[in-house]
Amino acid sequence: MKSKFYQSVRERFIRYAKIDTQSCAGADTVPSTQKQFDLAKLLLKELEEMGASDIFLDEHCCLYAKLPSNIKDRNVRSIGYLGHLDVSPDAASAGISPHVLENYGGGDIVLNADKGIVMEASLYPRLSMYIGQDLILSDGTTLLGGDDKAAIAAIMAMAERYTEHPEIPHGDICIGFLPDEEVGLCGAKLFDIERFGAEAAYTLDGDGVGEFFEETFNGEEAFVAIKGLNVHPGTAKDIMRNAVEIAADFIAMLPAMERPQHTSGREGFYHPTSIMGSVEEAEIRLILRDHDGLRLEERHNYLVKCAETLNARLGEGSVSIKFVPGYRSMKPVVDKHPYLTEYALRAMRDCGIQPRISPMRGGTDGAVLSQRGLPCPNITAGYENAHGRFEFVPVESMAKNAELLLRLNQIYAEEFLNT
C-alpha cells in the first residue's frame, strides 16, 4: 500500500532534481549562483497555485511562504520548516537524469550500462535497508540532489495536503527555502527571520529518516598563507625556502588521528581541504570542527602555535593565518525549548519511525538561524550517499517525512485545542 504522499513526492523530487542548482564555494555574492533562482521561482509558482499566502522571493534567493492558521481565537504556536535550494559543488550537477528503480531487490545497481557505472552493495551497505522500496537514482555521471531536494519535496507535499484538505486544523505553518547551505550557510545569515514569522522551526537535512539532531559541530575555517623564496635550483643551497614544502610541514604538524577519516561521534577534527601554490607562495585551506566550543578554541590556538613555530625557524611573516568564523552548535538554543524535541520524537513514533538522537557531524542552516534567535533543530531528509555520484533517495522516505510533518503540525495544534 503506497502512502498518500507517494506520488506527490516522487513527481516533485524528479522535477526539482532536474534543475541544476549547484552553489559555488568562494563566491562573494548570495546566492553564489543565479541558477538557484530557477528552482526558487518554480517553487514560488507552485506555492501560489496551492493558495499559500505571504509568498516572497528576495534578492538573496530566500523564498518565504505561509499556510495561515485555521484555528480561530487560539494562540497556536507558529512553526516553520526549512530546506536548502543548492546542491553540493563536490560532484557534477549539470544534466542530472533521475530515474526510479522500483522494488529494489538487493545487490549491486547498474546506474549506467554504457559507461560501466555500478553502485556496489558491498561499498554501500546501507542499500540493504531499502530492499523492496523504490529508489530514485542518477545515471552515475552526476550527483542526484537529494541533499536537499528530498526535503523540499516532502515540505511541498505536506503543504499541498493542507490545500486539498482545508478542514485539517493547524496553526501558522511557515515555509522557507534558502540558498548556499553547501558553501558556508550563507543564505541563513541573510534570511529574514521576522518575515518568516515562525516562533521556532525545523530544518530538514541529512541522511536516512529517523535521525534527529539537537546539536551540530561548532565550525571555523582557516586560510594559511605561506611565503617562500625562489631561486634557480642549481644555486639554491642555503637560500631557497620552498613554500610547497613548508605547507607540507604545516600539515604534518596536525595531529594525525584527529582527521575526519579517523573520528566519529562527538570527536572533532582538523581537515585540510585544499592546498595550492608554488615554491614562491602557497595556501592551505582548513576547516576546524568540534562539538565542544572550548575544544574548537583550542584547535584554533594550536594552528596559531604551528605558525609561530615555523616562523621562528623561517623568519617572521613566513606563515600567516586568516580565520573565518563559522557556525556554532544550535544545542544551547534548542535546549531552552524542549518541546521542539519532545514533539518531533512523538511525531516520529506516531508515524512508525524509531527516532535516533545523535550529534550531527556537520552543519545545517538551523545552526546559524538558532544563533540568530530562531530555535531550529534538524529532522533528516531521507537521502543517502550525499554529494556524490552514488547518491539515492528512497521515495518511501520522502513520503514518510511528509507524513511526519503532517503529524507534527497536528501535535502543535492539539497542544492548544486540548487545553
Side-chain angles (χ1 to χ4, degrees):
M1 180 78 177
K2 298 293 187 185
S3 161
K4 56 181 173 286
F5 293 109
Y6 176 93
Q7 202 61 37
S8 178
V9 294
R10 174 173 168 157
E11 292 176 359
R12 288 182 182 282
F13 179 80
I14 291 173
R15 183 160 66 247
Y16 304 154
K18 289 179 179 178
I19 301 173
D20 181 5
T21 58
Q22 189 173 64
S23 49
C24 177
D28 56 5
T29 60
V30 179
S32 63
T33 55
Q34 288 297 303
K35 57 190 174 182
Q36 294 179 68
F37 275 108
D38 295 342
L39 177 56
K41 289 175 181 177
L42 172 63
L43 295 170
L44 182 151
K45 180 181 178 183
E46 292 182 356
L47 287 162
E48 287 178 337
E49 291 170 349
M50 286 181 196
S53 70
D54 301 324
I55 305 169
F56 183 74
L57 177 61
D58 70 19
E59 69 274 23
H60 302 300
C61 202
C62 295
L63 177 60
Y64 311 80
K66 183 180 292 183
L67 305 177
S69 173
N70 60 9
I71 301 173
K72 305 303 181 184
D73 304 319
R74 296 291 184 95
N75 185 26
V76 182
R77 293 187 203 270
S78 56
I79 196 70
Y81 299 104
L82 298 148
H84 64 84
L85 298 162
D86 64 319
V87 298
S88 171
D90 290 348
S93 66
I96 295 173
S97 180
H99 66 279
V100 182
L101 172 62
E102 296 187 347
N103 192 23
Y104 169 57
D108 296 349
I109 299 175
V110 178
L111 298 179
N112 194 315
D114 292 340
K115 297 187 177 181
I117 302 174
V118 179
M119 188 190 309
E120 299 179 38
S122 60
L123 295 178
Y124 300 100
R126 286 176 65 89
L127 267 173
S128 64
M129 298 167 53
Y130 300 102
I131 291 174
Q133 297 190 30
D134 298 344
L135 309 184
I136 305 180
L137 307 142
S138 77
D139 67 357
T141 64
T142 68
L143 51 67
L144 178 63
D147 180 6
D148 196 33
K149 291 170 185 173
I152 296 174
I155 292 169
M156 292 293 283
M158 175 269 294
E160 181 182 46
R161 184 71 174 173
Y162 286 110
T163 63
E164 293 174 345
H165 295 274
E167 74 280 4
I168 301 174
H170 64 84
D172 281 348
I173 299 172
C174 306
I175 295 170
F177 300 121
L178 292 75
D180 289 343
E181 191 272 349
E182 298 290 2
V183 292
L185 312 168
C186 301
K189 296 173 184 176
L190 298 173
F191 190 71
D192 189 336
I193 293 173
E194 185 175 354
R195 178 184 287 276
F196 185 52
E199 296 178 43
Y202 299 88
T203 50
L204 276 75
D205 202 355
D207 298 333
V209 167
E211 286 196 89
F212 184 79
F213 299 115
E214 301 174 300
E215 61 177 314
T216 61
F217 275 136
N218 298 285
E220 189 173 57
E221 195 169 16
F223 294 87
V224 183
I226 299 166
K227 294 181 180 179
L229 180 60
N230 193 17
V231 296
H232 190 284
T235 57
K237 184 174 173 60
D238 299 327
I239 300 174
M240 178 186 286
R241 294 196 303 274
N242 189 328
V244 174
E245 293 179 353
I246 297 168
D249 289 343
F250 186 95
I251 292 174
M253 296 171 76
L254 304 179
M257 299 307 293
E258 295 183 29
R259 312 288 177 91
Q261 61 268 41
H262 302 304
T263 56
S264 61
R266 294 183 57 83
E267 298 171 326
F269 54 73
Y270 303 86
H271 182 32
T273 59
S274 71
I275 179 171
M276 49 190 172
S278 62
V279 173
E280 192 73 27
E281 59 184 11
E283 182 183 78
I284 309 166
R285 179 188 174 202
L286 301 99
I287 60 173
L288 310 179
R289 298 290 186 264
D290 210 291
H291 285 98
D292 185 324
L294 291 177
R295 181 67 179 126
L296 182 72
E297 186 177 345
E298 291 174 2
R299 295 183 188 282
H300 173 116
N301 293 337
Y302 182 74
L303 292 190
V304 172
K305 184 177 179 181
C306 290
E308 291 173 346
T309 300
L310 289 171
N311 282 331
R313 173 162 60 90
L314 301 168
E316 194 61 36
S318 297
V319 180
S320 60
I321 306 177
K322 175 186 175 183
F323 290 97
V324 179
Y327 57 89
R328 293 294 180 267
S329 176
M330 68 272 225
K331 187 168 177 57
V333 177
V334 172
D335 281 350
K336 295 176 183 177
H337 306 274
Y339 69 88
L340 286 165
T341 298
E342 177 191 342
Y343 290 178
L345 300 188
R346 187 194 308 175
M348 288 183 186
R349 294 188 186 100
D350 290 350
C351 293
I353 302 168
Q354 181 58 47
R356 305 178 301 281
I357 298 180
S358 58
M360 188 174 193
R361 291 184 60 79
T364 69
D365 286 322
V368 171
L369 294 170
S370 293
Q371 280 181 265
R372 294 182 56 210
L374 178 67
C376 197
N378 185 76
I379 297 168
T380 45
Y383 52 77
E384 297 282 355
N385 301 341
H387 295 199
R389 296 180 297 113
F390 298 103
E391 184 182 12
F392 66 93
V393 177
V395 179
E396 288 83 354
S397 292
M398 292 187 290
K400 182 60 74 173
N401 259 345
E403 179 186 343
L404 165 61
L405 299 186
L406 191 73
R407 177 60 188 137
L408 185 52
N409 293 328
Q410 291 172 340
I411 290 172
Y412 276 97
E414 290 164 0
E415 174 188 31
F416 289 88
L417 290 175
N418 294 336
T419 58

